């Protein structure tokens, strides 16, 4: 699973880093980013990642499956 936040679409609501602080964080201006830029292989965060993904009001979080 690869995750990316499309900053051009993001409205800075904070849902992603509020729901999954293990993966998402924000800079000093509140702009979110992914802490992990490579493939995420931690199953224990998958549920929280998907909740953040579905909670994004503008679909700025992009998830792709990679092998």
């Amino acid at each position: 699973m690869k995750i990316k936040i499309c900053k051009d679409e993001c409205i800075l609501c904070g849902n992603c880093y509020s729901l999954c602080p293990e993966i998402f964080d924000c800079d000093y201006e509140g702009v979110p980013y992914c802490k992990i830029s490579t493939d995420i292989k931690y199953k224990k965060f998958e549920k929280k990642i998907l909740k953040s993904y579905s909670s994004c009001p503008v679909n700025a979080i992009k998830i792709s499956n990679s092998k």
Side-chain angles (χ1 to χ4, degrees):
M1 175 186 299
K2 287 192 178 189
I3 302 170
K4 177 183 171 188
I5 296 177
C6 187
K7 293 180 181 178
D8 293 337
E9 297 175 22
C10 180
I11 60 170
L12 311 177
C13 70
N15 284 351
C16 55
Y17 52 84
S18 294
L19 294 170
C20 189
E22 299 87 354
I23 303 298
F24 302 106
D25 202 354
C26 67
D27 64 15
Y28 67 94
E29 294 179 328
V31 178
Y33 63 90
C34 294
K35 293 181 187 181
I36 302 171
S37 59
T38 59
D39 284 348
I40 296 170
K41 297 179 175 141
Y42 302 105
K43 286 288 189 187
K44 65 182 180 179
F45 298 129
E46 186 172 359
K47 193 179 256 187
K48 290 175 97 175
I49 292 166
L50 294 175
K51 184 168 183 151
S52 294
Y53 171 78
S54 65
S55 296
C56 181
V58 293
N59 299 318
I61 300 172
K62 309 301 180 192
I63 296 178
S64 63
N65 291 324
S66 61
K67 301 204 177 208

mmCIF file of all heavy atoms in Angstrom, residues 26-65:
data_model
loop_
_atom_site.group_PDB
_atom_site.id
_atom_site.type_symbol
_atom_site.label_atom_id
_atom_site.label_comp_id
_atom_site.label_asym_id
_atom_site.label_seq_id
_atom_site.Cartn_x
_atom_site.Cartn_y
_atom_site.Cartn_z
ATOM 1 N N CYS A 26 1.452 16.925 10.379
ATOM 2 C CA CYS A 26 1.337 18.202 9.671
ATOM 3 C C CYS A 26 2.540 19.067 9.999
ATOM 4 O O CYS A 26 3.186 18.915 11.037
ATOM 5 C CB CYS A 26 0.041 18.905 10.021
ATOM 6 S SG CYS A 26 -0.062 19.471 11.728
ATOM 7 N N ASP A 27 2.814 20.004 9.098
ATOM 8 C CA ASP A 27 3.913 20.931 9.350
ATOM 9 C C ASP A 27 3.401 22.099 10.188
ATOM 10 O O ASP A 27 2.244 22.111 10.619
ATOM 11 C CB ASP A 27 4.552 21.385 8.034
ATOM 12 C CG ASP A 27 3.610 22.181 7.124
ATOM 13 O OD1 ASP A 27 2.543 22.634 7.592
ATOM 14 O OD2 ASP A 27 3.955 22.358 5.947
ATOM 15 N N TYR A 28 4.225 23.082 10.404
ATOM 16 C CA TYR A 28 3.853 24.205 11.270
ATOM 17 C C TYR A 28 2.708 25.049 10.721
ATOM 18 O O TYR A 28 2.098 25.815 11.460
ATOM 19 C CB TYR A 28 5.082 25.082 11.549
ATOM 20 C CG TYR A 28 5.614 25.807 10.333
ATOM 21 C CD1 TYR A 28 5.217 27.102 10.057
ATOM 22 C CD2 TYR A 28 6.507 25.195 9.459
ATOM 23 C CE1 TYR A 28 5.683 27.771 8.948
ATOM 24 C CE2 TYR A 28 6.983 25.855 8.357
ATOM 25 C CZ TYR A 28 6.568 27.152 8.104
ATOM 26 O OH TYR A 28 7.036 27.808 7.000
ATOM 27 N N GLU A 29 2.393 24.909 9.436
ATOM 28 C CA GLU A 29 1.264 25.630 8.838
ATOM 29 C C GLU A 29 -0.003 24.781 8.776
ATOM 30 O O GLU A 29 -1.021 25.217 8.260
ATOM 31 C CB GLU A 29 1.636 26.107 7.435
ATOM 32 C CG GLU A 29 2.729 27.153 7.434
ATOM 33 C CD GLU A 29 3.106 27.602 6.043
ATOM 34 O OE1 GLU A 29 3.026 26.793 5.095
ATOM 35 O OE2 GLU A 29 3.480 28.783 5.900
ATOM 36 N N GLY A 30 0.065 23.561 9.281
ATOM 37 C CA GLY A 30 -1.097 22.673 9.266
ATOM 38 C C GLY A 30 -1.250 21.860 8.007
ATOM 39 O O GLY A 30 -2.266 21.194 7.819
ATOM 40 N N VAL A 31 -0.251 21.873 7.135
ATOM 41 C CA VAL A 31 -0.309 21.113 5.885
ATOM 42 C C VAL A 31 0.095 19.668 6.178
ATOM 43 O O VAL A 31 1.194 19.416 6.679
ATOM 44 C CB VAL A 31 0.623 21.722 4.824
ATOM 45 C CG1 VAL A 31 0.593 20.905 3.540
ATOM 46 C CG2 VAL A 31 0.237 23.178 4.544
ATOM 47 N N PRO A 32 -0.788 18.715 5.890
ATOM 48 C CA PRO A 32 -0.489 17.319 6.223
ATOM 49 C C PRO A 32 0.510 16.677 5.266
ATOM 50 O O PRO A 32 0.668 17.106 4.124
ATOM 51 C CB PRO A 32 -1.849 16.634 6.115
ATOM 52 C CG PRO A 32 -2.594 17.448 5.136
ATOM 53 C CD PRO A 32 -2.127 18.866 5.327
ATOM 54 N N TYR A 33 1.180 15.663 5.777
ATOM 55 C CA TYR A 33 2.093 14.863 4.967
ATOM 56 C C TYR A 33 2.146 13.453 5.550
ATOM 57 O O TYR A 33 1.747 13.226 6.684
ATOM 58 C CB TYR A 33 3.492 15.486 4.920
ATOM 59 C CG TYR A 33 4.191 15.579 6.253
ATOM 60 C CD1 TYR A 33 5.002 14.544 6.706
ATOM 61 C CD2 TYR A 33 4.033 16.695 7.064
ATOM 62 C CE1 TYR A 33 5.639 14.621 7.938
ATOM 63 C CE2 TYR A 33 4.665 16.786 8.290
ATOM 64 C CZ TYR A 33 5.471 15.747 8.712
ATOM 65 O OH TYR A 33 6.105 15.829 9.931
ATOM 66 N N CYS A 34 2.633 12.517 4.743
ATOM 67 C CA CYS A 34 2.809 11.143 5.195
ATOM 68 C C CYS A 34 4.192 11.018 5.812
ATOM 69 O O CYS A 34 5.175 11.427 5.213
ATOM 70 C CB CYS A 34 2.698 10.175 4.028
ATOM 71 S SG CYS A 34 1.065 10.122 3.297
ATOM 72 N N LYS A 35 4.251 10.455 7.006
ATOM 73 C CA LYS A 35 5.539 10.239 7.668
ATOM 74 C C LYS A 35 6.339 9.146 6.971
ATOM 75 O O LYS A 35 7.553 9.132 7.030
ATOM 76 C CB LYS A 35 5.324 9.824 9.119
ATOM 77 C CG LYS A 35 4.738 10.882 10.005
ATOM 78 C CD LYS A 35 4.622 10.295 11.404
ATOM 79 C CE LYS A 35 3.898 11.191 12.345
ATOM 80 N NZ LYS A 35 3.822 10.600 13.691
ATOM 81 N N ILE A 36 5.643 8.216 6.333
ATOM 82 C CA ILE A 36 6.282 7.075 5.684
ATOM 83 C C ILE A 36 6.048 7.187 4.185
ATOM 84 O O ILE A 36 4.915 7.165 3.726
ATOM 85 C CB ILE A 36 5.698 5.752 6.215
ATOM 86 C CG1 ILE A 36 5.897 5.679 7.725
ATOM 87 C CG2 ILE A 36 6.324 4.561 5.522
ATOM 88 C CD1 ILE A 36 5.187 4.530 8.387
ATOM 89 N N SER A 37 7.114 7.322 3.419
ATOM 90 C CA SER A 37 6.964 7.527 1.977
ATOM 91 C C SER A 37 7.100 6.241 1.169
ATOM 92 O O SER A 37 6.799 6.219 -0.012
ATOM 93 C CB SER A 37 7.992 8.544 1.483
ATOM 94 O OG SER A 37 9.298 8.084 1.756
ATOM 95 N N THR A 38 7.556 5.173 1.793
ATOM 96 C CA THR A 38 7.706 3.910 1.079
ATOM 97 C C THR A 38 6.490 3.025 1.323
ATOM 98 O O THR A 38 5.544 3.424 1.983
ATOM 99 C CB THR A 38 8.984 3.179 1.529
ATOM 100 O OG1 THR A 38 8.895 2.945 2.935
ATOM 101 C CG2 THR A 38 10.220 3.996 1.227
ATOM 102 N N ASP A 39 6.536 1.825 0.814
ATOM 103 C CA ASP A 39 5.427 0.882 1.020
ATOM 104 C C ASP A 39 5.172 0.678 2.506
ATOM 105 O O ASP A 39 6.091 0.490 3.285
ATOM 106 C CB ASP A 39 5.741 -0.479 0.396
ATOM 107 C CG ASP A 39 5.609 -0.470 -1.104
ATOM 108 O OD1 ASP A 39 5.067 0.499 -1.638
ATOM 109 O OD2 ASP A 39 6.054 -1.438 -1.732
ATOM 110 N N ILE A 40 3.929 0.710 2.866
ATOM 111 C CA ILE A 40 3.545 0.486 4.253
ATOM 112 C C ILE A 40 3.182 -0.987 4.401
ATOM 113 O O ILE A 40 2.300 -1.485 3.726
ATOM 114 C CB ILE A 40 2.368 1.387 4.644
ATOM 115 C CG1 ILE A 40 2.816 2.829 4.575
ATOM 116 C CG2 ILE A 40 1.850 1.034 6.024
ATOM 117 C CD1 ILE A 40 1.691 3.800 4.713
ATOM 118 N N LYS A 41 3.894 -1.649 5.265
ATOM 119 C CA LYS A 41 3.679 -3.076 5.435
ATOM 120 C C LYS A 41 3.158 -3.388 6.826
ATOM 121 O O LYS A 41 3.186 -4.524 7.257
ATOM 122 C CB LYS A 41 4.974 -3.822 5.173
ATOM 123 C CG LYS A 41 5.427 -3.627 3.742
ATOM 124 C CD LYS A 41 6.718 -4.323 3.443
ATOM 125 C CE LYS A 41 7.000 -4.161 1.975
ATOM 126 N NZ LYS A 41 8.339 -3.931 1.635
ATOM 127 N N TYR A 42 2.698 -2.389 7.519
ATOM 128 C CA TYR A 42 2.219 -2.579 8.882
ATOM 129 C C TYR A 42 0.710 -2.768 8.885
ATOM 130 O O TYR A 42 -0.049 -1.811 8.780
ATOM 131 C CB TYR A 42 2.598 -1.381 9.745
ATOM 132 C CG TYR A 42 4.072 -1.118 9.778
ATOM 133 C CD1 TYR A 42 4.616 -0.068 9.082
ATOM 134 C CD2 TYR A 42 4.922 -1.938 10.508
ATOM 135 C CE1 TYR A 42 5.977 0.183 9.103
ATOM 136 C CE2 TYR A 42 6.279 -1.711 10.546
ATOM 137 C CZ TYR A 42 6.807 -0.649 9.830
ATOM 138 O OH TYR A 42 8.144 -0.424 9.851
ATOM 139 N N LYS A 43 0.271 -3.995 8.990
ATOM 140 C CA LYS A 43 -1.158 -4.312 8.977
ATOM 141 C C LYS A 43 -1.890 -3.650 10.136
ATOM 142 O O LYS A 43 -3.066 -3.342 10.030
ATOM 143 C CB LYS A 43 -1.376 -5.821 9.025
ATOM 144 C CG LYS A 43 -1.067 -6.506 7.732
ATOM 145 C CD LYS A 43 -2.132 -6.187 6.729
ATOM 146 C CE LYS A 43 -1.956 -7.024 5.494
ATOM 147 N NZ LYS A 43 -2.865 -6.633 4.446
ATOM 148 N N LYS A 44 -1.196 -3.405 11.243
ATOM 149 C CA LYS A 44 -1.881 -2.846 12.408
ATOM 150 C C LYS A 44 -2.376 -1.421 12.159
ATOM 151 O O LYS A 44 -3.259 -0.957 12.852
ATOM 152 C CB LYS A 44 -0.987 -2.891 13.639
ATOM 153 C CG LYS A 44 0.255 -2.041 13.573
ATOM 154 C CD LYS A 44 1.071 -2.205 14.838
ATOM 155 C CE LYS A 44 2.325 -1.368 14.816
ATOM 156 N NZ LYS A 44 3.087 -1.516 16.032
ATOM 157 N N PHE A 45 -1.840 -0.727 11.152
ATOM 158 C CA PHE A 45 -2.296 0.631 10.843
ATOM 159 C C PHE A 45 -3.293 0.678 9.692
ATOM 160 O O PHE A 45 -3.871 1.722 9.423
ATOM 161 C CB PHE A 45 -1.116 1.535 10.496
ATOM 162 C CG PHE A 45 -0.139 1.703 11.615
ATOM 163 C CD1 PHE A 45 1.202 1.501 11.401
ATOM 164 C CD2 PHE A 45 -0.562 2.073 12.882
ATOM 165 C CE1 PHE A 45 2.120 1.653 12.431
ATOM 166 C CE2 PHE A 45 0.342 2.228 13.911
ATOM 167 C CZ PHE A 45 1.689 2.018 13.679
ATOM 168 N N GLU A 46 -3.483 -0.438 9.011
ATOM 169 C CA GLU A 46 -4.314 -0.436 7.802
ATOM 170 C C GLU A 46 -5.732 0.081 8.055
ATOM 171 O O GLU A 46 -6.247 0.899 7.294
ATOM 172 C CB GLU A 46 -4.368 -1.831 7.189
ATOM 173 C CG GLU A 46 -5.089 -1.852 5.863
ATOM 174 C CD GLU A 46 -4.982 -3.196 5.159
ATOM 175 O OE1 GLU A 46 -4.339 -4.118 5.685
ATOM 176 O OE2 GLU A 46 -5.564 -3.299 4.076
ATOM 177 N N LYS A 47 -6.347 -0.344 9.134
ATOM 178 C CA LYS A 47 -7.711 0.078 9.442
ATOM 179 C C LYS A 47 -7.780 1.597 9.680
ATOM 180 O O LYS A 47 -8.681 2.277 9.194
ATOM 181 C CB LYS A 47 -8.226 -0.678 10.662
ATOM 182 C CG LYS A 47 -9.709 -0.545 10.882
ATOM 183 C CD LYS A 47 -10.127 -1.338 12.100
ATOM 184 C CE LYS A 47 -10.813 -2.599 11.649
ATOM 185 N NZ LYS A 47 -11.398 -3.346 12.774
ATOM 186 N N LYS A 48 -6.799 2.127 10.407
ATOM 187 C CA LYS A 48 -6.766 3.563 10.681
ATOM 188 C C LYS A 48 -6.473 4.369 9.413
ATOM 189 O O LYS A 48 -7.021 5.453 9.215
ATOM 190 C CB LYS A 48 -5.712 3.870 11.745
ATOM 191 C CG LYS A 48 -6.091 3.361 13.121
ATOM 192 C CD LYS A 48 -4.974 3.581 14.102
ATOM 193 C CE LYS A 48 -5.225 4.845 14.877
ATOM 194 N NZ LYS A 48 -4.217 5.054 15.932
ATOM 195 N N ILE A 49 -5.621 3.829 8.561
ATOM 196 C CA ILE A 49 -5.316 4.498 7.289
ATOM 197 C C ILE A 49 -6.573 4.590 6.428
ATOM 198 O O ILE A 49 -6.890 5.639 5.865
ATOM 199 C CB ILE A 49 -4.197 3.758 6.543
ATOM 200 C CG1 ILE A 49 -2.878 3.903 7.296
ATOM 201 C CG2 ILE A 49 -4.056 4.282 5.116
ATOM 202 C CD1 ILE A 49 -1.799 2.945 6.834
ATOM 203 N N LEU A 50 -7.291 3.495 6.334
ATOM 204 C CA LEU A 50 -8.514 3.480 5.527
ATOM 205 C C LEU A 50 -9.591 4.378 6.117
ATOM 206 O O LEU A 50 -10.367 4.991 5.380
ATOM 207 C CB LEU A 50 -9.013 2.046 5.352
ATOM 208 C CG LEU A 50 -8.092 1.147 4.532
ATOM 209 C CD1 LEU A 50 -8.610 -0.287 4.505
ATOM 210 C CD2 LEU A 50 -7.911 1.687 3.122
ATOM 211 N N LYS A 51 -9.640 4.489 7.431
ATOM 212 C CA LYS A 51 -10.595 5.406 8.061
ATOM 213 C C LYS A 51 -10.228 6.851 7.725
ATOM 214 O O LYS A 51 -11.098 7.669 7.422
ATOM 215 C CB LYS A 51 -10.633 5.193 9.566
ATOM 216 C CG LYS A 51 -11.671 6.035 10.243
ATOM 217 C CD LYS A 51 -11.904 5.630 11.667
ATOM 218 C CE LYS A 51 -13.014 6.495 12.209
ATOM 219 N NZ LYS A 51 -13.780 5.871 13.227
ATOM 220 N N SER A 52 -8.945 7.184 7.764
ATOM 221 C CA SER A 52 -8.503 8.524 7.375
ATOM 222 C C SER A 52 -8.845 8.798 5.909
ATOM 223 O O SER A 52 -9.331 9.870 5.568
ATOM 224 C CB SER A 52 -6.988 8.671 7.567
ATOM 225 O OG SER A 52 -6.645 8.599 8.911
ATOM 226 N N TYR A 53 -8.596 7.807 5.079
ATOM 227 C CA TYR A 53 -8.892 7.917 3.653
ATOM 228 C C TYR A 53 -10.380 8.216 3.418
ATOM 229 O O TYR A 53 -10.731 9.136 2.688
ATOM 230 C CB TYR A 53 -8.486 6.614 2.956
ATOM 231 C CG TYR A 53 -8.923 6.492 1.526
ATOM 232 C CD1 TYR A 53 -8.242 7.149 0.517
ATOM 233 C CD2 TYR A 53 -10.006 5.696 1.182
ATOM 234 C CE1 TYR A 53 -8.642 7.037 -0.801
ATOM 235 C CE2 TYR A 53 -10.411 5.559 -0.125
ATOM 236 C CZ TYR A 53 -9.724 6.238 -1.118
ATOM 237 O OH TYR A 53 -10.134 6.116 -2.419
ATOM 238 N N SER A 54 -11.236 7.459 4.074
ATOM 239 C CA SER A 54 -12.674 7.648 3.865
ATOM 240 C C SER A 54 -13.209 8.905 4.555
ATOM 241 O O SER A 54 -14.270 9.396 4.195
ATOM 242 C CB SER A 54 -13.450 6.415 4.323
ATOM 243 O OG SER A 54 -13.317 6.234 5.712
ATOM 244 N N SER A 55 -12.470 9.435 5.520
ATOM 245 C CA SER A 55 -12.905 10.644 6.229
ATOM 246 C C SER A 55 -12.447 11.940 5.567
ATOM 247 O O SER A 55 -12.839 13.024 5.996
ATOM 248 C CB SER A 55 -12.386 10.618 7.664
ATOM 249 O OG SER A 55 -12.958 9.549 8.358
ATOM 250 N N CYS A 56 -11.625 11.835 4.545
ATOM 251 C CA CYS A 56 -11.152 13.043 3.857
ATOM 252 C C CYS A 56 -12.306 13.630 3.040
ATOM 253 O O CYS A 56 -12.810 12.991 2.118
ATOM 254 C CB CYS A 56 -9.972 12.708 2.945
ATOM 255 S SG CYS A 56 -9.336 14.165 2.093
ATOM 256 N N PRO A 57 -12.734 14.856 3.357
ATOM 257 C CA PRO A 57 -13.903 15.420 2.677
ATOM 258 C C PRO A 57 -13.683 15.766 1.211
ATOM 259 O O PRO A 57 -14.653 15.929 0.467
ATOM 260 C CB PRO A 57 -14.213 16.681 3.493
ATOM 261 C CG PRO A 57 -12.940 17.040 4.151
ATOM 262 C CD PRO A 57 -12.209 15.747 4.384
ATOM 263 N N VAL A 58 -12.437 15.863 0.774
ATOM 264 C CA VAL A 58 -12.165 16.225 -0.622
ATOM 265 C C VAL A 58 -11.367 15.153 -1.365
ATOM 266 O O VAL A 58 -10.877 15.385 -2.467
ATOM 267 C CB VAL A 58 -11.437 17.590 -0.713
ATOM 268 C CG1 VAL A 58 -12.341 18.720 -0.257
ATOM 269 C CG2 VAL A 58 -10.141 17.569 0.077
ATOM 270 N N ASN A 59 -11.233 13.967 -0.766
ATOM 271 C CA ASN A 59 -10.509 12.850 -1.381
ATOM 272 C C ASN A 59 -9.075 13.205 -1.770
ATOM 273 O O ASN A 59 -8.598 12.837 -2.847
ATOM 274 C CB ASN A 59 -11.272 12.306 -2.592
ATOM 275 C CG ASN A 59 -12.630 11.785 -2.225
ATOM 276 O OD1 ASN A 59 -12.779 11.114 -1.206
ATOM 277 N ND2 ASN A 59 -13.633 12.098 -3.018
ATOM 278 N N ALA A 60 -8.389 13.919 -0.884
ATOM 279 C CA ALA A 60 -7.007 14.318 -1.145
ATOM 280 C C ALA A 60 -6.008 13.214 -0.818
ATOM 281 O O ALA A 60 -4.857 13.295 -1.223
ATOM 282 C CB ALA A 60 -6.668 15.573 -0.356
ATOM 283 N N ILE A 61 -6.444 12.189 -0.104
ATOM 284 C CA ILE A 61 -5.567 11.066 0.220
ATOM 285 C C ILE A 61 -5.686 10.039 -0.895
ATOM 286 O O ILE A 61 -6.778 9.577 -1.218
ATOM 287 C CB ILE A 61 -5.934 10.426 1.575
ATOM 288 C CG1 ILE A 61 -5.820 11.459 2.700
ATOM 289 C CG2 ILE A 61 -5.039 9.212 1.849
ATOM 290 C CD1 ILE A 61 -6.335 10.970 4.030
ATOM 291 N N LYS A 62 -4.556 9.703 -1.485
ATOM 292 C CA LYS A 62 -4.511 8.727 -2.569
ATOM 293 C C LYS A 62 -3.826 7.465 -2.073
ATOM 294 O O LYS A 62 -2.746 7.524 -1.490
ATOM 295 C CB LYS A 62 -3.742 9.279 -3.778
ATOM 296 C CG LYS A 62 -4.198 10.653 -4.239
ATOM 297 C CD LYS A 62 -5.649 10.691 -4.634
ATOM 298 C CE LYS A 62 -6.050 12.098 -5.088
ATOM 299 N NZ LYS A 62 -7.454 12.276 -5.217
ATOM 300 N N ILE A 63 -4.473 6.334 -2.283
ATOM 301 C CA ILE A 63 -3.921 5.041 -1.869
ATOM 302 C C ILE A 63 -3.837 4.156 -3.095
ATOM 303 O O ILE A 63 -4.781 4.052 -3.870
ATOM 304 C CB ILE A 63 -4.815 4.368 -0.805
ATOM 305 C CG1 ILE A 63 -4.846 5.205 0.471
ATOM 306 C CG2 ILE A 63 -4.325 2.967 -0.510
ATOM 307 C CD1 ILE A 63 -5.734 4.651 1.557
ATOM 308 N N SER A 64 -2.679 3.521 -3.244
ATOM 309 C CA SER A 64 -2.524 2.555 -4.326
ATOM 310 C C SER A 64 -1.919 1.284 -3.755
ATOM 311 O O SER A 64 -1.136 1.324 -2.811
ATOM 312 C CB SER A 64 -1.643 3.115 -5.447
ATOM 313 O OG SER A 64 -0.342 3.363 -4.958
ATOM 314 N N ASN A 65 -2.329 0.190 -4.306
ATOM 315 C CA ASN A 65 -1.770 -1.098 -3.891
ATOM 316 C C ASN A 65 -0.538 -1.376 -4.730
ATOM 317 O O ASN A 65 -0.563 -1.207 -5.944
ATOM 318 C CB ASN A 65 -2.786 -2.236 -4.084
ATOM 319 C CG ASN A 65 -3.927 -2.105 -3.098
ATOM 320 O OD1 ASN A 65 -3.728 -1.703 -1.970
ATOM 321 N ND2 ASN A 65 -5.118 -2.450 -3.520
#
